[in-house]
Amino acid sequence: MRWAALFTDRTDGADIRAAHTEAHQAYLRKYKGRIALAGALRPEPGGAPSGGLWIFEAESRAEVEQIIAEDPFQIHGLRATSEVFAWGTAPGFEDIEIGAR
C-alpha cells in the first residue's frame, strides 16, 4: 500500500536542519525502498526548504509512523507538523511506477 507523509518545518529551524542534514540523508538511504520517493518542499526553486514530502510503500500506517519517528529531523525537533495519508492511484495512472529510472 502507498502512503504519503507531508511535513512542515519550524520557521526557526534552519540551525536544526544544518546540524542534522547529513544524518537525515543517511537515514533516508537506509529506508530506500520502503520510502519510494522523498524530497524537500520549497516555496520556489532554489529557495530554502520549508518541509518535505515522502511517498512510502508500506503495509501499515504504524510502519510509516515508526519510520518517521526515527528520522533525525523528527527527533531533533525540525518538524512543526507531520501528517500521514493513505494514498491511492488516480484512474489512468495505474501503469506509472515510482522508482529509479
Side-chain angles (χ1 to χ4, degrees):
M1 173 162 203
R2 284 200 180 128
W3 301 85
L6 181 62
F7 307 101
T8 55
D9 294 346
R10 293 172 33 176
T11 56
D12 63 348
D15 289 343
I16 297 170
R17 178 177 287 281
H20 300 287
T21 292
E22 188 175 317
H24 166 74
Q25 290 173 348
Y27 188 76
L28 291 174
R29 286 189 298 274
K30 174 182 172 183
Y31 282 101
K32 188 175 181 180
R34 284 202 268 171
I35 301 173
L37 199 60
L41 297 174
R42 295 171 168 80
E44 57 188 65
S50 59
L53 174 66
W54 300 358
I55 304 298
F56 289 83
E57 294 284 353
E59 294 298 318
S60 68
R61 177 184 295 273
E63 180 182 356
V64 170
E65 290 173 345
Q66 181 62 41
I67 292 170
I68 291 169
E70 296 172 4
D71 174 32
F73 281 177
Q74 195 78 15
I75 291 168
H76 295 286
L78 177 63
R79 304 303 193 192
T81 65
S82 300
E83 298 179 273
V84 175
F85 302 92
W87 186 39
T89 303
F93 287 82
E94 298 88 355
D95 61 330
I96 303 297
E97 292 186 33
I98 296 175
R101 292 182 184 193

